[in-house]
Amino acid sequence: MLAKKARLEKAQASASGGKSAPPVHNRARRKADALKRTLIIACLAVAAVVLIAVYVEKRSYHRYKILHTSEQEDVISTKYVELDGKILRYSPEGASLVNDKMETIWNETYEMQNPVADVCGKRAVIADRDGTTMEIYDRDGWLGSVSTSYSIVKARISANGLVAAILDGGDDTWINFYASDGSLIAENQTKVDDPGYPLDVAVSEDGLIMMVTYQFVDGGNTTSYVAFYNFGDVGQNEDDRIVSGYTYEGVVIPQIQYLSGDRSVALRDDGFTLYKGKQIPKESSSVKVDKEIVSTFFDDEIIGLVFKNGKKDALYTMEVYSTSGKLKFSKNFNIPYTSIKMSGGNILLYNSSQMSVMNSRGVEKYSGTVDGTINDFFKIGWNRYLLVLDSGVNIIKFS
């Protein structure tokens, strides 16, 4: 019997090239070791990513480097705004799009007295404030023109190029809606007593909803009314296409804005109110404060309020909220700013000679002075900023 077993083992070894098959427990051990090595490598990779993210989050810069400069710019009459990763440059004589090396992509001419621009995604409208002309563009150039019957007070554009405008007709005002080619879609006449004087207008990304804030006096009290106009099928059977509206007694709402998706915000003199809804926007949350608001700033992710502090070592306090209305952080700061805004996910503060950059969590990334007078300052890419001085325009990065 033993001899037979020995002959069988010898035959099996011969069939496998003279080598016996590895035991099952050795193969399992090797698989476990390989899996362990894979898990260790994955954990190390995740740890490295986390460390890099923390480093980028906490890192502060102490100087800046000029990457490109353009000293021939007419910084008195020319203004600048970011458009889809490029720079839209506009003046009373025309508009042009340039890249981060200040190289011209396209150039268009027009005649305006007081041009102002609004940008949403890849679309932009330049309107002649107090005039009657609007020009609509995207990153490829001119799309259409609008000639209005009354003076333009404000103009806002949606991501797909639809434009809403407040027009001053003297005794009455008009809220008009235009396609990207300049054709009139709808017009709505308003009166001071019904529904009030329009202070601001905003448009949803898809151009379906127009949001308007009105102000009127009721019994000696200032009252605000926020209306949502639906230009789709849902709004066609509603009076003046208003699908929802909210009245706020004793409150002034000077600014409204559509955020990403179906969210919007009304910035009040006592806080802000958030709305949500694609077809019929509804109030989702409100934040009320008992301090005087001196500045506001916002983007699609955060809303910021600034109050005077009164302390010698901290002139101001900022409170930053998520777009769900939850307080993210509160921070005292001592920068005598004249402008504050969100740009590229960062909080930018500046005056004529100083600038400061914070991230959306309040971590200061840079603070310093510049040689010259700052006219404008905004982000155009990762660690790339446009700095408009009285002496010219610089593309800078922090280091």
Side-chain angles (χ1 to χ4, degrees):
M1 184 70 177
L2 291 175
K4 183 177 180 181
K5 182 177 180 182
R7 287 195 300 273
L8 179 61
E9 290 177 348
K10 183 176 181 181
Q12 290 174 339
S14 177
S16 60
K19 296 181 181 180
S20 60
V24 173
H25 68 277
N26 288 340
R27 293 198 301 270
R29 183 182 296 115
R30 283 198 295 271
K31 288 183 178 180
D33 291 343
L35 179 60
K36 186 183 296 184
R37 286 194 298 271
T38 301
L39 290 175
I40 291 174
I41 293 172
C43 289
L44 290 174
V46 170
V49 171
V50 170
L51 288 173
I52 292 172
V54 171
Y55 173 74
V56 172
E57 171 81 11
K58 299 296 183 181
R59 182 184 180 185
S60 294
Y61 302 94
H62 304 287
R63 60 187 63 87
Y64 68 86
K65 177 182 179 181
I66 298 176
L67 302 178
H68 303 282
T69 187
S70 179
E71 297 179 352
Q72 305 302 317
E73 298 284 329
D74 179 8
V75 296
I76 302 299
S77 61
T78 304
K79 298 177 183 178
Y80 305 82
V81 65
E82 190 270 339
L83 173 62
D84 194 31
K86 308 298 180 183
I87 303 164
L88 179 63
R89 179 174 57 188
Y90 63 99
S91 72
E93 287 76 38
S96 60
L97 193 71
V98 300
N99 60 22
D100 60 2
K101 296 180 181 180
M102 301 304 291
E103 299 169 336
T104 300
I105 299 172
W106 55 255
N107 183 71
E108 299 284 347
T109 60
Y110 55 68
E111 291 185 5
M112 295 186 186
Q113 295 296 317
N114 187 20
V116 291
D118 183 61
V119 173
C120 183
K122 300 180 180 181
R123 304 289 194 273
V125 59
I126 300 176
D128 191 7
R129 181 184 290 165
D130 299 325
T132 58
T133 302
M134 292 188 288
E135 302 291 344
I136 304 168
Y137 302 95
D138 64 9
R139 63 176 297 162
D140 296 321
W142 179 82
L143 293 175
S145 296
V146 176
S147 181
T148 65
S149 301
Y150 304 103
S151 298
I152 299 167
V153 178
K154 286 188 176 181
R156 297 288 184 264
I157 193 166
S158 69
N160 60 2
L162 300 179
V163 175
I166 299 176
L167 307 178
D168 185 0
D171 294 335
D172 302 325
T173 55
W174 295 78
I175 309 293
N176 286 6
F177 211 39
Y178 302 90
S180 59
D181 62 2
S183 58
L184 179 66
I185 296 176
E187 58 183 357
N188 183 41
Q189 184 180 11
T190 70
K191 296 182 180 296
V192 173
D193 58 345
D194 183 21
Y197 184 81
L199 296 182
D200 201 6
V201 61
V203 190
S204 61
E205 287 184 342
D206 58 8
L208 182 69
I209 304 293
M210 180 173 67
M211 179 185 185
V212 183
T213 173
Y214 297 93
Q215 182 177 318
F216 61 95
V217 177
D218 183 15
N221 294 323
T222 298
T223 301
S224 293
Y225 176 61
V226 175
F228 291 90
Y229 298 78
N230 187 311
F231 291 97
D233 294 339
V234 174
Q236 65 182 353
N237 295 323
E238 302 293 335
D239 291 342
D240 295 328
R241 288 188 171 268
I242 297 177
V243 290
S244 59
Y246 299 91
T247 301
Y248 305 93
E249 295 182 0
V251 173
V252 177
I253 302 179
Q255 189 175 17
I256 54 178
Q257 180 68 32
Y258 247 93
L259 308 175
S260 61
D262 60 353
R263 302 170 301 152
S264 57
V265 61
L267 295 160
R268 310 154 43 128
D269 62 355
D270 64 348
F272 60 89
T273 297
L274 293 159
Y275 309 86
K276 184 176 177 60
K278 184 176 179 60
Q279 296 284 348
I280 304 175
K282 303 290 186 182
E283 284 185 342
S284 58
S285 62
S286 289
V287 171
K288 294 188 68 174
V289 297
D290 56 4
K291 296 171 287 186
E292 181 184 358
I293 301 171
V294 295
S295 299
T296 59
F297 55 92
F298 55 86
D299 64 6
D300 287 341
E301 304 299 328
I302 68 173
I303 298 167
L305 310 176
V306 179
F307 318 96
K308 285 186 177 180
N309 196 324
K311 298 180 180 179
K312 292 183 179 180
D313 58 344
L315 295 175
Y316 303 98
T317 298
M318 72 168 60
E319 291 182 357
V320 174
Y321 297 82
S322 69
T323 50
S324 63
K326 294 182 179 180
L327 180 65
K328 295 186 66 174
F329 68 86
S330 179
K331 180 183 181 70
N332 294 333
F333 64 98
N334 200 34
I335 302 168
Y337 73 96
T338 55
S339 297
I340 183 170
K341 60 186 174 184
M342 292 298 300
S343 181
N346 286 346
I347 306 168
L348 308 187
L349 307 92
Y350 60 95
N351 56 35
S352 61
S353 60
Q354 296 173 279
M355 58 184 181
S356 176
V357 178
M358 301 178 192
N359 66 16
S360 61
R361 293 176 178 83
V363 177
E364 188 172 77
K365 309 298 290 182
Y366 176 84
S367 182
T369 59
V370 301
D371 294 329
T373 301
I374 302 174
N375 292 339
D376 202 357
F377 176 51
F378 58 87
K379 190 175 182 181
I380 58 173
W382 189 84
N383 199 17
R384 298 289 191 278
Y385 297 82
L386 184 80
L387 180 60
V388 183
L389 303 174
D390 58 349
S391 57
V393 177
N394 295 330
I395 305 296
I396 67 171
K397 66 175 291 187
F398 296 122
S399 60

